[in-house]
Coordinates of all heavy atoms in Angstrom, one line a residue:
M1 N -32.1 3.3 -13.3 CA -32.9 3.6 -12.1 C -32.9 2.4 -11.2 O -33.0 1.3 -11.6 CB -34.3 3.9 -12.6 CG -35.2 4.4 -11.5 SD -36.8 4.8 -12.2 CE -37.8 4.6 -10.7
V2 N -32.7 2.6 -9.9 CA -32.7 1.5 -8.9 C -34.1 1.4 -8.4 O -34.8 2.4 -8.0 CB -31.7 1.9 -7.8 CG1 -31.8 0.8 -6.7 CG2 -30.3 2.1 -8.3
D3 N -34.6 0.1 -8.4 CA -36.0 -0.1 -7.9 C -36.0 -0.3 -6.4 O -35.0 -0.3 -5.7 CB -36.7 -1.2 -8.6 CG -36.0 -2.6 -8.3 OD1 -35.4 -2.7 -7.3 OD2 -36.3 -3.5 -9.1
F4 N -37.2 -0.6 -5.8 CA -37.3 -0.7 -4.3 C -36.5 -1.9 -3.8 O -36.2 -1.9 -2.6 CB -38.8 -0.8 -4.0 CG -39.5 0.5 -4.1 CD1 -40.4 0.7 -5.2 CD2 -39.2 1.6 -3.3 CE1 -41.1 1.9 -5.3 CE2 -39.8 2.8 -3.5 CZ -40.8 3.0 -4.5
A5 N -36.3 -2.9 -4.6 CA -35.5 -4.1 -4.1 C -34.0 -3.8 -4.2 O -33.2 -4.7 -3.9 CB -35.9 -5.3 -4.9
G6 N -33.6 -2.7 -4.7 CA -32.2 -2.3 -4.8 C -31.5 -2.9 -6.1 O -30.3 -3.0 -6.2
K7 N -32.3 -3.4 -7.0 CA -31.8 -3.9 -8.3 C -31.6 -2.8 -9.3 O -32.5 -1.9 -9.4 CB -32.7 -5.0 -8.8 CG -32.8 -6.2 -7.9 CD -33.8 -7.2 -8.6 CE -35.2 -6.8 -8.5 NZ -36.2 -7.7 -9.0
A8 N -30.6 -2.9 -10.1 CA -30.3 -1.9 -11.2 C -30.7 -2.5 -12.5 O -30.7 -3.7 -12.7 CB -28.9 -1.5 -11.2
E9 N -31.1 -1.7 -13.4 CA -31.4 -2.2 -14.8 C -30.1 -2.7 -15.4 O -29.1 -2.2 -15.1 CB -31.9 -1.0 -15.6 CG -33.3 -0.5 -15.2 CD -33.7 0.8 -15.9 OE1 -33.2 1.0 -17.1 OE2 -34.5 1.5 -15.4
P10 N -30.3 -3.6 -16.4 CA -29.1 -4.2 -17.1 C -28.4 -3.1 -17.9 O -29.1 -2.1 -18.4 CB -29.6 -5.2 -18.0 CG -31.1 -5.4 -17.6 CD -31.5 -4.3 -16.8
G11 N -27.1 -3.2 -18.0 CA -26.3 -2.3 -18.9 C -26.1 -0.9 -18.3 O -25.9 0.1 -19.0
T12 N -26.3 -0.7 -17.0 CA -26.2 0.6 -16.4 C -25.0 0.7 -15.5 O -24.9 1.7 -14.7 CB -27.4 0.9 -15.6 OG1 -27.6 -0.1 -14.6 CG2 -28.7 1.0 -16.5
T13 N -24.0 -0.2 -15.5 CA -22.9 -0.2 -14.6 C -22.2 1.1 -14.6 O -21.7 1.6 -13.5 CB -21.9 -1.3 -15.1 OG1 -22.6 -2.5 -15.1 CG2 -20.7 -1.4 -14.1
K14 N -22.0 1.8 -15.8 CA -21.2 3.0 -15.8 C -21.9 4.1 -15.0 O -21.2 5.2 -14.7 CB -21.0 3.4 -17.3 CG -19.9 2.6 -18.0 CD -18.5 3.1 -17.6 CE -17.5 2.3 -18.3 NZ -16.1 2.6 -17.7
K15 N -23.2 4.0 -14.7 CA -23.8 5.0 -13.9 C -23.5 4.9 -12.4 O -23.8 5.9 -11.7 CB -25.4 4.9 -14.1 CG -25.9 5.2 -15.5 CD -27.4 5.1 -15.4 CE -28.0 5.3 -16.8 NZ -29.4 5.0 -16.8
Y16 N -23.0 3.8 -12.0 CA -22.8 3.6 -10.6 C -21.4 3.5 -10.2 O -20.8 2.4 -10.3 CB -23.6 2.3 -10.1 CG -25.1 2.4 -10.5 CD1 -25.6 1.7 -11.5 CD2 -25.9 3.3 -9.7 CE1 -27.0 1.9 -11.9 CE2 -27.2 3.4 -10.0 CZ -27.8 2.7 -11.1 OH -29.1 2.8 -11.4
K17 N -20.8 4.6 -9.7 CA -19.4 4.6 -9.2 C -19.4 3.9 -7.9 O -20.4 3.8 -7.1 CB -18.9 6.0 -9.1 CG -18.9 6.6 -10.5 CD -18.2 8.0 -10.4 CE -18.1 8.6 -11.9 NZ -17.5 9.9 -11.9
T18 N -18.2 3.4 -7.5 CA -18.0 2.6 -6.3 C -18.3 3.4 -5.0 O -18.9 2.9 -4.1 CB -16.6 2.1 -6.2 OG1 -16.3 1.2 -7.3 CG2 -16.3 1.3 -4.9
G19 N -18.0 4.7 -5.0 CA -18.3 5.5 -3.8 C -17.2 5.4 -2.8 O -16.0 5.1 -3.2
T20 N -17.5 5.5 -1.6 CA -16.5 5.6 -0.5 C -16.3 4.3 0.3 O -15.5 4.3 1.3 CB -16.8 6.8 0.4 OG1 -18.1 6.5 1.0 CG2 -16.8 8.1 -0.3
W21 N -17.0 3.3 0.0 CA -17.0 2.1 0.9 C -15.8 1.2 0.7 O -15.4 0.3 1.5 CB -18.2 1.3 0.8 CG -18.6 0.8 -0.6 CD1 -19.4 1.4 -1.5 CD2 -18.1 -0.4 -1.2 NE1 -19.4 0.7 -2.6 CE2 -18.6 -0.4 -2.5 CE3 -17.2 -1.4 -0.9 CZ2 -18.4 -1.4 -3.4 CZ3 -16.9 -2.4 -1.8 CH2 -17.5 -2.4 -3.0
R22 N -15.0 1.4 -0.4 CA -13.9 0.5 -0.7 C -12.8 0.6 0.4 O -12.5 1.7 0.8 CB -13.3 0.9 -2.1 CG -12.1 0.0 -2.5 CD -11.6 0.5 -3.9 NE -11.2 1.9 -3.9 CZ -11.5 2.7 -4.9 NH1 -12.1 2.3 -6.0 NH2 -11.2 4.0 -4.8
T23 N -12.3 -0.6 0.8 CA -11.2 -0.6 1.8 C -9.8 -0.5 1.3 O -9.0 0.2 1.8 CB -11.4 -1.9 2.7 OG1 -12.7 -2.0 3.1 CG2 -10.5 -1.9 3.9
Y24 N -9.6 -1.3 0.2 CA -8.2 -1.3 -0.4 C -8.3 -0.9 -1.9 O -9.4 -1.0 -2.5 CB -7.6 -2.7 -0.3 CG -7.2 -3.1 1.1 CD1 -8.1 -3.8 1.9 CD2 -5.9 -2.7 1.6 CE1 -7.7 -4.1 3.2 CE2 -5.5 -3.0 2.9 CZ -6.4 -3.7 3.7 OH -6.1 -4.0 4.9
K25 N -7.2 -0.3 -2.4 CA -7.2 0.0 -3.8 C -5.9 -0.5 -4.4 O -4.8 -0.6 -3.7 CB -7.3 1.5 -4.0 CG -6.2 2.3 -3.4 CD -6.4 3.8 -3.7 CE -5.3 4.6 -3.0 NZ -5.5 6.1 -3.1
P26 N -5.9 -0.8 -5.7 CA -4.7 -1.4 -6.3 C -3.8 -0.2 -6.8 O -4.2 0.8 -7.4 CB -5.2 -2.1 -7.5 CG -6.5 -1.5 -7.8 CD -7.1 -0.9 -6.6
I27 N -2.5 -0.4 -6.5 CA -1.5 0.6 -6.9 C -0.6 -0.1 -7.9 O 0.0 -1.1 -7.6 CB -0.7 1.1 -5.7 CG1 -1.6 1.8 -4.7 CG2 0.4 2.1 -6.2 CD1 -2.3 3.0 -5.2
L28 N -0.4 0.5 -9.1 CA 0.4 -0.2 -10.1 C 1.8 0.4 -10.2 O 2.0 1.6 -10.1 CB -0.3 0.1 -11.5 CG 0.5 -0.4 -12.7 CD1 0.5 -2.0 -12.7 CD2 -0.1 0.1 -14.0
D29 N 2.7 -0.5 -10.2 CA 4.1 -0.2 -10.5 C 4.3 -0.2 -12.0 O 4.4 -1.2 -12.6 CB 5.1 -1.2 -9.8 CG 6.5 -0.9 -10.1 OD1 6.8 -0.1 -11.0 OD2 7.4 -1.5 -9.4
K30 N 4.2 1.0 -12.6 CA 4.2 1.1 -14.0 C 5.5 0.6 -14.7 O 5.4 0.1 -15.8 CB 4.0 2.6 -14.4 CG 2.6 3.1 -14.1 CD 2.4 4.6 -14.4 CE 1.0 5.0 -14.1 NZ 0.8 6.5 -14.2
E31 N 6.6 0.7 -14.0 CA 7.8 0.2 -14.5 C 7.8 -1.4 -14.6 O 8.4 -2.0 -15.5 CB 9.0 0.6 -13.7 CG 9.2 2.1 -13.6 CD 9.8 2.7 -14.9 OE1 10.4 1.9 -15.7 OE2 9.5 3.9 -15.2
A32 N 7.1 -2.0 -13.7 CA 7.1 -3.4 -13.6 C 6.1 -4.1 -14.5 O 6.3 -5.2 -14.9 CB 6.8 -3.9 -12.1
C33 N 5.0 -3.3 -14.9 CA 3.9 -3.9 -15.7 C 4.5 -4.3 -17.1 O 5.2 -3.5 -17.7 CB 2.8 -2.9 -15.8 SG 1.5 -3.5 -16.9
I34 N 4.2 -5.5 -17.5 CA 4.6 -6.0 -18.8 C 3.5 -6.0 -19.8 O 3.6 -6.5 -20.9 CB 5.3 -7.4 -18.7 CG1 4.3 -8.4 -18.1 CG2 6.6 -7.3 -17.9 CD1 4.8 -9.9 -18.1
G35 N 2.3 -5.5 -19.4 CA 1.2 -5.3 -20.4 C 0.6 -6.7 -20.8 O 0.0 -6.8 -21.9
C36 N 0.6 -7.7 -19.9 CA 0.2 -9.0 -20.3 C -1.4 -9.2 -20.4 O -1.8 -10.2 -20.9 CB 0.7 -10.0 -19.3 SG 0.0 -9.9 -17.7
E37 N -2.1 -8.2 -19.9 CA -3.6 -8.2 -19.9 C -4.2 -9.1 -18.9 O -5.5 -9.2 -18.9 CB -4.1 -8.5 -21.3 CG -3.7 -7.6 -22.4 CD -4.3 -7.9 -23.8 OE1 -5.3 -8.6 -23.8 OE2 -3.8 -7.3 -24.8
K38 N -3.5 -9.8 -18.1 CA -4.1 -10.8 -17.2 C -5.0 -10.1 -16.2 O -6.1 -10.6 -15.9 CB -3.0 -11.5 -16.5 CG -3.5 -12.9 -16.1 CD -2.3 -13.8 -15.7 CE -2.9 -15.2 -15.3 NZ -1.8 -16.0 -14.7
C39 N -4.7 -8.9 -15.7 CA -5.5 -8.2 -14.8 C -6.8 -7.7 -15.5 O -7.9 -7.8 -14.9 CB -4.8 -7.0 -14.2 SG -4.1 -5.9 -15.4
W40 N -6.7 -7.3 -16.7 CA -7.8 -6.9 -17.5 C -8.8 -8.1 -17.7 O -10.0 -7.9 -17.6 CB -7.3 -6.4 -18.8 CG -8.4 -6.0 -19.8 CD1 -9.1 -4.8 -19.9 CD2 -8.9 -6.8 -20.8 NE1 -10.0 -4.9 -20.9 CE2 -9.9 -6.1 -21.5 CE3 -8.6 -8.1 -21.3 CZ2 -10.6 -6.6 -22.6 CZ3 -9.4 -8.6 -22.4 CH2 -10.3 -7.9 -23.0
E41 N -8.2 -9.2 -17.9 CA -9.0 -10.4 -18.1 C -9.8 -10.9 -16.9 O -10.9 -11.3 -16.9 CB -8.0 -11.5 -18.5 CG -8.6 -12.8 -19.1 CD -7.4 -13.7 -19.5 OE1 -6.4 -13.3 -20.1 OE2 -7.6 -14.9 -19.2
Y42 N -9.1 -10.7 -15.7 CA -9.7 -11.2 -14.5 C -10.6 -10.2 -13.7 O -11.3 -10.6 -12.8 CB -8.6 -11.8 -13.5 CG -8.2 -13.2 -13.9 CD1 -7.1 -13.4 -14.8 CD2 -8.8 -14.3 -13.3 CE1 -6.7 -14.6 -15.2 CE2 -8.4 -15.6 -13.7 CZ -7.3 -15.7 -14.6 OH -6.9 -17.0 -14.9
C43 N -10.4 -9.0 -13.9 CA -11.1 -8.0 -13.1 C -12.6 -8.1 -13.3 O -13.2 -8.0 -14.4 CB -10.7 -6.5 -13.5 SG -11.7 -5.3 -12.7
P44 N -13.3 -8.4 -12.2 CA -14.8 -8.6 -12.3 C -15.6 -7.4 -12.6 O -16.8 -7.5 -12.9 CB -15.1 -9.2 -10.9 CG -14.1 -8.7 -10.0 CD -12.8 -8.6 -10.8
D45 N -14.9 -6.2 -12.5 CA -15.7 -5.0 -12.7 C -15.2 -4.3 -14.0 O -15.6 -3.1 -14.2 CB -15.5 -4.0 -11.5 CG -16.4 -4.5 -10.4 OD1 -17.7 -4.3 -10.5 OD2 -16.0 -5.1 -9.4
S46 N -14.4 -4.9 -14.8 CA -14.0 -4.4 -16.1 C -13.4 -3.0 -15.9 O -13.8 -2.1 -16.7 CB -15.1 -4.4 -17.1 OG -15.6 -5.7 -17.3
C47 N -12.6 -2.8 -14.9 CA -12.1 -1.4 -14.7 C -10.7 -1.2 -14.9 O -10.0 -0.3 -14.5 CB -12.6 -0.9 -13.3 SG -12.1 -1.9 -12.0
K48 N -10.0 -2.2 -15.6 CA -8.6 -2.0 -16.0 C -8.6 -1.3 -17.4 O -9.4 -1.6 -18.3 CB -8.0 -3.4 -16.2 CG -7.7 -4.1 -14.9 CD -6.8 -3.3 -14.0 CE -6.5 -3.9 -12.7 NZ -5.7 -3.1 -11.8
I49 N -7.8 -0.3 -17.4 CA -7.7 0.6 -18.6 C -6.4 0.5 -19.3 O -5.3 0.6 -18.7 CB -7.8 2.1 -18.2 CG1 -8.9 2.3 -17.1 CG2 -8.0 3.0 -19.4 CD1 -8.7 3.6 -16.5
E50 N -6.4 0.2 -20.6 CA -5.2 0.1 -21.4 C -4.6 1.6 -21.5 O -5.4 2.5 -21.9 CB -5.6 -0.4 -22.8 CG -4.3 -0.7 -23.6 CD -4.8 -1.4 -25.0 OE1 -5.5 -2.4 -25.0 OE2 -4.4 -0.8 -26.0
T51 N -3.4 1.7 -21.2 CA -2.8 3.0 -21.1 C -1.4 3.0 -21.7 O -0.7 1.9 -21.6 CB -2.6 3.4 -19.6 OG1 -3.8 3.2 -18.9 CG2 -2.2 4.9 -19.5
E52 N -0.9 4.0 -22.4 CA 0.4 4.1 -22.9 C 1.3 4.7 -21.8 O 1.0 5.7 -21.2 CB 0.5 4.9 -24.2 CG 1.8 4.7 -24.9 CD 1.9 5.4 -26.2 OE1 0.9 5.7 -26.8 OE2 3.0 5.8 -26.5
Y53 N 2.5 4.0 -21.6 CA 3.4 4.5 -20.6 C 4.8 4.3 -21.2 O 5.2 3.2 -21.4 CB 3.3 3.8 -19.3 CG 4.3 4.2 -18.3 CD1 4.2 5.5 -17.6 CD2 5.3 3.4 -17.9 CE1 5.2 5.9 -16.7 CE2 6.3 3.7 -17.0 CZ 6.2 5.0 -16.4 OH 7.2 5.3 -15.5
D54 N 5.5 5.4 -21.4 CA 6.9 5.4 -21.9 C 7.1 4.5 -23.1 O 8.0 3.7 -23.3 CB 7.8 4.8 -20.7 CG 9.2 5.4 -20.8 OD1 9.4 6.4 -21.5 OD2 10.1 4.8 -20.2
G55 N 6.1 4.6 -24.0 CA 6.1 3.9 -25.3 C 5.6 2.5 -25.2 O 5.5 1.8 -26.2
D56 N 5.2 2.0 -24.0 CA 4.7 0.7 -23.9 C 3.2 0.7 -23.5 O 2.7 1.7 -23.0 CB 5.4 -0.1 -22.8 CG 6.9 -0.4 -23.1 OD1 7.1 -0.7 -24.3 OD2 7.7 -0.2 -22.2
I57 N 2.5 -0.4 -23.7 CA 1.1 -0.5 -23.3 C 1.1 -1.2 -21.9 O 1.6 -2.3 -21.7 CB 0.3 -1.3 -24.3 CG1 0.2 -0.6 -25.6 CG2 -1.1 -1.6 -23.7 CD1 -0.5 0.7 -25.6
I58 N 0.4 -0.5 -21.0 CA 0.3 -1.1 -19.6 C -1.2 -1.0 -19.3 O -2.0 -0.4 -20.0 CB 1.1 -0.3 -18.6 CG1 0.7 1.1 -18.5 CG2 2.6 -0.4 -18.9 CD1 1.2 1.9 -17.3
F59 N -1.6 -1.6 -18.1 CA -3.0 -1.6 -17.7 C -3.1 -1.1 -16.3 O -2.6 -1.6 -15.3 CB -3.6 -3.1 -17.8 CG -3.8 -3.5 -19.2 CD1 -2.8 -4.0 -20.0 CD2 -5.1 -3.4 -19.7 CE1 -3.0 -4.4 -21.3 CE2 -5.3 -3.8 -21.0 CZ -4.3 -4.3 -21.8
D60 N -3.7 0.1 -16.2 CA -3.9 0.8 -14.9 C -5.4 0.6 -14.5 O -6.1 -0.1 -15.2 CB -3.5 2.3 -15.0 CG -2.9 2.8 -13.7 OD1 -3.2 2.1 -12.7 OD2 -2.2 3.8 -13.7
T61 N -5.8 1.3 -13.5 CA -7.1 1.0 -12.9 C -8.0 2.3 -13.0 O -7.5 3.4 -12.6 CB -7.0 0.6 -11.5 OG1 -6.1 -0.5 -11.4 CG2 -8.4 0.1 -10.9
D62 N -9.3 2.1 -13.3 CA -10.2 3.2 -13.2 C -10.8 3.1 -11.8 O -11.7 2.3 -11.5 CB -11.3 3.1 -14.3 CG -12.3 4.2 -14.3 OD1 -12.3 5.0 -13.2 OD2 -13.0 4.4 -15.2
L63 N -10.3 3.9 -10.9 CA -10.7 3.8 -9.5 C -12.1 4.3 -9.2 O -12.7 4.0 -8.2 CB -9.7 4.6 -8.6 CG -8.3 4.0 -8.5 CD1 -7.3 4.9 -7.8 CD2 -8.3 2.6 -7.8
D64 N -12.8 4.9 -10.2 CA -14.2 5.2 -10.0 C -15.0 4.0 -9.9 O -16.1 4.0 -9.3 CB -14.7 6.0 -11.3 CG -14.3 7.5 -11.2 OD1 -13.9 8.0 -10.1 OD2 -14.4 8.2 -12.2
Y65 N -14.6 2.9 -10.5 CA -15.4 1.7 -10.5 C -14.7 0.5 -9.8 O -15.4 -0.5 -9.5 CB -15.7 1.3 -12.0 CG -16.4 2.4 -12.7 CD1 -15.8 3.3 -13.5 CD2 -17.8 2.6 -12.4 CE1 -16.5 4.3 -14.1 CE2 -18.5 3.6 -13.0 CZ -17.8 4.5 -13.9 OH -18.5 5.5 -14.5
C66 N -13.4 0.6 -9.5 CA -12.8 -0.5 -8.8 C -13.4 -0.8 -7.4 O -13.7 0.2 -6.7 CB -11.3 -0.2 -8.6 SG -10.4 -1.3 -7.5
K67 N -13.6 -2.1 -7.1 CA -14.2 -2.4 -5.8 C -13.1 -2.8 -4.8 O -13.5 -3.1 -3.6 CB -15.2 -3.6 -5.9 CG -16.3 -3.3 -7.0 CD -17.2 -2.2 -6.6 CE -18.4 -2.0 -7.6 NZ -18.0 -1.5 -8.9
G68 N -11.9 -2.9 -5.2 CA -10.8 -3.2 -4.3 C -10.7 -4.7 -3.9 O -10.2 -5.0 -2.8
C69 N -11.2 -5.6 -4.8 CA -11.2 -7.0 -4.4 C -9.9 -7.7 -4.3 O -9.7 -8.7 -3.7 CB -12.1 -7.8 -5.4 SG -11.4 -7.8 -7.1
G70 N -8.9 -7.1 -5.1 CA -7.5 -7.6 -5.0 C -7.2 -8.8 -6.0 O -6.1 -9.3 -6.0
I71 N -8.2 -9.1 -6.8 CA -8.0 -10.2 -7.8 C -6.8 -9.9 -8.7 O -6.0 -10.7 -9.0 CB -9.3 -10.6 -8.5 CG1 -10.3 -11.2 -7.6 CG2 -9.0 -11.5 -9.7 CD1 -11.6 -11.4 -8.2
C72 N -6.8 -8.7 -9.2 CA -5.7 -8.3 -10.1 C -4.4 -8.4 -9.5 O -3.4 -8.9 -10.2 CB -6.0 -6.8 -10.6 SG -6.1 -5.6 -9.3
A73 N -4.2 -8.1 -8.3 CA -2.9 -8.2 -7.6 C -2.5 -9.6 -7.4 O -1.4 -10.0 -7.6 CB -3.0 -7.5 -6.2
E74 N -3.5 -10.5 -7.2 CA -3.3 -11.9 -7.0 C -2.8 -12.5 -8.3 O -2.0 -13.4 -8.4 CB -4.5 -12.6 -6.6 CG -4.8 -12.6 -5.1 CD -3.8 -13.3 -4.3 OE1 -3.4 -14.4 -4.6 OE2 -3.3 -12.7 -3.3
E75 N -3.4 -12.1 -9.4 CA -3.2 -12.7 -10.7 C -2.0 -12.2 -11.5 O -1.5 -12.8 -12.4 CB -4.4 -12.6 -11.6 CG -5.7 -13.3 -11.1 CD -5.4 -14.9 -11.0 OE1 -4.7 -15.4 -11.8 OE2 -6.0 -15.5 -10.1
C76 N -1.5 -11.0 -11.2 CA -0.4 -10.4 -11.9 C 0.8 -11.3 -11.8 O 1.3 -11.5 -10.7 CB -0.1 -9.0 -11.4 SG 1.3 -8.2 -12.2
P77 N 1.4 -11.7 -12.9 CA 2.5 -12.6 -12.9 C 3.8 -12.0 -12.5 O 4.8 -12.7 -12.1 CB 2.6 -13.1 -14.4 CG 2.0 -12.0 -15.2 CD 0.9 -11.4 -14.3
V78 N 3.9 -10.7 -12.5 CA 5.2 -10.0 -12.1 C 5.0 -9.1 -10.8 O 5.9 -8.3 -10.5 CB 5.7 -9.1 -13.3 CG1 6.1 -10.0 -14.4 CG2 4.7 -8.1 -13.7
E79 N 3.9 -9.3 -10.1 CA 3.6 -8.6 -8.9 C 3.7 -7.1 -9.0 O 4.3 -6.4 -8.2 CB 4.5 -9.2 -7.7 CG 4.3 -10.6 -7.5 CD 5.2 -11.2 -6.3 OE1 6.0 -10.5 -5.8 OE2 4.9 -12.4 -6.0
A80 N 3.2 -6.6 -10.1 CA 3.2 -5.2 -10.4 C 2.1 -4.4 -9.7 O 2.1 -3.2 -9.7 CB 3.1 -4.9 -11.9
I81 N 1.2 -5.1 -9.0 CA 0.1 -4.4 -8.4 C 0.1 -4.7 -6.9 O 0.2 -5.9 -6.4 CB -1.3 -4.9 -8.9 CG1 -1.4 -4.7 -10.4 CG2 -2.4 -4.2 -8.2 CD1 -2.5 -5.4 -11.1
E82 N 0.0 -3.7 -6.1 CA 0.0 -3.8 -4.6 C -1.3 -3.2 -4.1 O -1.7 -2.1 -4.6 CB 1.2 -3.0 -4.0 CG 1.5 -3.4 -2.6 CD 2.8 -2.8 -2.1 OE1 3.8 -2.8 -2.9 OE2 2.8 -2.4 -1.0
M83 N -1.9 -3.9 -3.2 CA -3.2 -3.4 -2.6 C -2.8 -2.5 -1.4 O -2.0 -2.9 -0.5 CB -4.1 -4.6 -2.2 CG -4.6 -5.5 -3.3 SD -5.4 -4.6 -4.7 CE -6.9 -4.1 -3.9
E84 N -3.3 -1.3 -1.5 CA -3.0 -0.3 -0.4 C -4.3 0.1 0.3 O -5.3 0.2 -0.4 CB -2.3 0.8 -1.1 CG -1.8 1.9 -0.2 CD -1.2 3.0 -1.1 OE1 0.1 2.9 -1.3 OE2 -1.8 4.0 -1.4
L85 N -4.2 0.4 1.5 CA -5.4 0.9 2.3 C -5.9 2.2 1.6 O -5.1 3.1 1.3 CB -5.0 1.2 3.7 CG -6.1 1.3 4.7 CD1 -6.9 0.0 4.8 CD2 -5.5 1.6 6.1
D86 N -7.2 2.2 1.3 CA -7.8 3.4 0.6 C -8.3 4.4 1.6 O -9.4 4.3 2.1 CB -8.9 2.9 -0.3 CG -9.4 4.0 -1.2 OD1 -8.8 5.1 -1.2 OD2 -10.4 3.7 -1.9
E87 N -7.4 5.3 2.0 CA -7.8 6.3 3.0 C -8.5 7.4 2.4 O -7.9 8.1 1.5 CB -6.5 6.7 3.8 CG -5.9 5.6 4.6 CD -4.6 5.9 5.3 OE1 -3.6 6.0 4.6 OE2 -4.7 6.1 6.5
K88 N -9.7 7.7 2.8 CA -10.5 8.8 2.2 C -10.1 10.2 2.8 O -9.9 10.2 4.0 CB -12.0 8.5 2.3 CG -12.4 7.1 1.9 CD -12.3 7.0 0.4 CE -12.8 5.6 -0.1 NZ -12.3 4.4 0.4
Ligands
SF4_101 S1 -9.1 -4.6 -7.2 FE1 -10.7 -5.9 -8.1 S2 -12.1 -4.5 -9.0 FE2 -10.3 -3.3 -8.6 S3 -9.1 -3.4 -10.5 FE3 -8.4 -5.1 -9.3 S4 -9.6 -6.8 -9.9 FE4 -10.7 -5.0 -10.6
SF4_102 S1 -1.4 -8.5 -14.9 FE1 0.3 -7.2 -14.1 S2 1.8 -7.2 -15.8 FE2 -0.1 -7.9 -16.6 S3 -1.0 -6.1 -17.5 FE3 -1.8 -6.3 -15.4 S4 -0.5 -5.2 -14.1 FE4 0.6 -5.4 -16.0

C-alpha cells in the first residue's frame, strides 16, 4: 500500500510495474549474449531474467519492471544490448 507521502512498504517491488513513463528499453541480441551475468549483477531493478536460448543460458529483460536506465547496455562486455526508444 502506498501512503500519503508516496512511500511504498518494504518488499513490495513486484506489486509496482513500471507503467508507461519509460523512455528507452533494452533490446537484447540473443546471438551475441555470452551469458556472463554482468547485466544481471548491475541492474538496479533486478529485472534481468535467466533464460535458455538455443541450448545456452542468456539474460533477457522483464520489461514489466525495467526503468530503461541503460546501465545494462553500458556494462555489457560484448555490446549485446541496445537501448531503443520505447514507443507506446
Ligand atoms: S535498462 Fe536499467 S532497469 Fe532496465 S534492465 Fe537495463 S539496467 Fe535494468
Ligand atoms: S552483460 Fe551482455 S553478454 Fe553478459 S549476460 Fe548480459 S547481455 Fe549477455
Side-chain angles (χ1 to χ4, degrees):
M1 186 177 156
V2 177
D3 68 18
F4 289 109
K7 294 180 290 185
E9 292 172 26
T12 56
T13 306
K14 283 283 180 189
K15 290 183 187 172
Y16 301 103
K17 294 185 179 180
T18 298
T20 58
W21 57 265
R22 181 179 55 220
T23 306
Y24 288 93
K25 65 181 177 183
I27 302 296
L28 176 66
D29 178 345
K30 293 179 179 172
E31 296 290 336
C33 176
I34 56 171
C36 69
E37 300 184 14
K38 210 165 178 189
C39 56
W40 175 83
E41 194 178 316
Y42 279 89
C43 175
D45 282 286
S46 302
C47 55
K48 287 299 180 184
I49 317 164
E50 190 177 304
T51 314
E52 194 179 328
Y53 176 72
D54 211 15
D56 293 321
I57 295 298
I58 62 168
F59 285 80
D60 212 340
T61 309
D62 185 343
L63 290 173
D64 279 347
Y65 301 99
C66 169
K67 305 296 185 289
C69 67
I71 292 173
C72 55
E74 279 294 317
E75 296 298 331
C76 177
V78 294
E79 298 181 355
I81 303 169
E82 196 171 319
M83 297 306 290
E84 183 178 274
L85 201 59
D86 189 5
E87 295 177 283
K88 311 290 186 305

